[in-house]
Amino acid sequence: RSLTSRRAPREEPVAPFLYYFPCQRWLAVEEDDGQIARELVPVDEAFVKKDSENDGQSPATLGLEQKAKSTTYTVKVKTGDKKNAGTDANVFIILYGSKDDTGIVSLKASKLNKNKFERGKVDEFTVESVDIGDLKKIKIGHDNKGNSTGWFLEWVEIDAPSLGQCLKFPCGRWLDKLEDDGAVERIIFPAELQTVEYIPFVPYEITVYTSDIFGAGTDADVFIVLYGNDGICTQQKSLCLNKREQRMYFERNSVNQFIVEV
């Protein structure tokens, strides 16, 4: 009996491929757009090199690169005008598209109300996601934690400016273990007759240079309107998201960059 051995051919080492996921954004309820979780998309290495090496690429240009790969949704939530309709529980939402879904998104920071999900009030939130395709349905619910957990949800409205589409998701039911069918989360489909379509928004990089003279800075709400050759103009768009940013930007002898969709 003979015994032979054979060794597998040696493979050439493969150079590792690097992915860059820059953020440069706040994850805080009180800052930026109020999101505490962000979905990051990879960008080319040129966008993360130091200023001396990046051929003039700026953080705002990086923002444009990432904006092109993601969608920003404005989510409005209406709490019903019924007794005990508001909730202190933690509310979440999942957006389902034809390609993918957003995963669980916590609705933490309302742009309209300090105390969110109060009786008869509308709250507004920002949700960012990579391309999930055409929006088909949503799941919304809460964790049933807190002193007052039951919630009567009237409707949800989701606006995607970059897609030029605004959809309404009517509910009109309790999310309460002691009311209705006892469910604390629901899957809701859009009302086709209430869908609004419009010209999609386009992201722009705006750079503002404040002069170096006494009193040049401002804490006011600075806005911009863009006019085209044919006289058509955009909506008035504030460059700052909140009063804290108004105090931080537009200081004397400063350069501030913004990404705005109009």
Side-chain angles (χ1 to χ4, degrees):
R1 181 185 298 183
S2 62
L3 180 65
T4 60
S5 65
R6 187 162 59 103
R7 186 172 63 181
R10 183 176 180 180
E11 295 183 359
E12 293 296 324
V14 178
F17 191 86
L18 298 179
Y19 294 87
Y20 296 90
F21 294 85
C23 182
Q24 299 181 3
R25 300 281 299 276
W26 283 95
L27 282 78
V29 173
E30 301 83 6
E31 302 286 354
D32 206 330
D33 56 10
Q35 297 186 77
I36 60 172
R38 297 197 181 278
E39 198 169 84
L40 304 179
V41 294
V43 299
D44 188 85
E45 182 180 1
F47 287 94
V48 294
K49 288 182 178 180
K50 295 181 180 179
D51 293 343
S52 60
E53 305 172 351
N54 67 359
D55 299 326
Q57 301 289 2
S58 69
T61 306
L62 167 64
L64 279 178
E65 172 77 2
Q66 291 179 309
K67 201 74 171 177
K69 298 180 180 180
S70 62
T71 302
T72 300
Y73 299 91
T74 297
V75 178
K76 292 184 178 180
V77 180
K78 172 67 182 296
T79 299
D81 190 11
K82 292 177 176 288
K83 184 179 179 181
N84 299 323
T87 184
D88 296 329
N90 297 302
V91 176
F92 69 87
I93 192 171
I94 304 174
L95 279 56
Y96 294 89
S98 56
K99 298 179 181 178
D100 203 350
D101 65 74
T102 61
I104 296 176
V105 178
S106 297
L107 300 181
K108 287 287 188 181
S110 172
K111 295 181 179 180
L112 303 180
N113 305 296
K114 184 176 181 179
N115 295 322
K116 55 189 180 293
F117 309 122
E118 294 292 314
R119 173 178 175 176
K121 296 293 184 65
V122 175
D123 293 290
E124 182 179 312
F125 306 88
T126 298
V127 173
E128 288 184 326
S129 173
V130 295
D131 182 20
I132 62 173
D134 296 332
L135 192 54
K136 298 297 185 181
K137 63 182 180 181
I138 64 172
K139 177 186 285 187
I140 189 167
H142 61 77
D143 61 2
N144 202 45
K145 295 182 179 179
N147 294 326
S148 177
T149 58
W151 184 35
F152 189 89
L153 173 62
E154 196 70 56
W155 48 258
V156 176
E157 181 182 274
I158 300 181
D159 188 13
S162 63
L163 304 179
Q165 195 173 59
C166 182
L167 291 83
K168 196 73 165 282
F169 296 79
C171 181
R173 296 184 67 178
W174 286 96
L175 283 76
D176 188 343
K177 286 194 172 183
L178 302 178
E179 299 283 352
D180 205 329
D181 59 0
V184 295
E185 58 182 50
R186 297 195 182 280
I187 293 178
I188 313 174
F189 295 87
E192 293 185 9
L193 296 180
Q194 297 185 53
T195 298
V196 177
E197 295 187 351
Y198 54 88
I199 298 174
F201 282 32
V202 177
Y204 287 84
E205 172 189 318
I206 309 294
T207 306
V208 181
Y209 300 82
T210 302
S211 178
D212 187 17
I213 63 174
F214 179 76
T218 182
D219 292 337
D221 182 15
V222 178
F223 63 84
I224 193 168
V225 178
L226 303 183
Y227 291 83
N229 290 331
D230 53 5
I232 301 298
C233 67
T234 68
Q235 294 175 327
Q236 179 175 304
K237 180 73 173 181
S238 294
L239 296 182
C240 294
L241 294 172
N242 51 49
K243 290 187 177 181
R244 181 193 171 282
E245 289 191 358
Q246 292 175 24
R247 294 190 299 268
M248 184 173 64
Y249 297 135
F250 310 117
E251 294 296 307
R252 174 179 173 175
N253 193 31
S254 66
V255 179
N256 302 120
Q257 295 175 315
F258 306 89
I259 301 295
V260 297
E261 280 189 316
V262 289

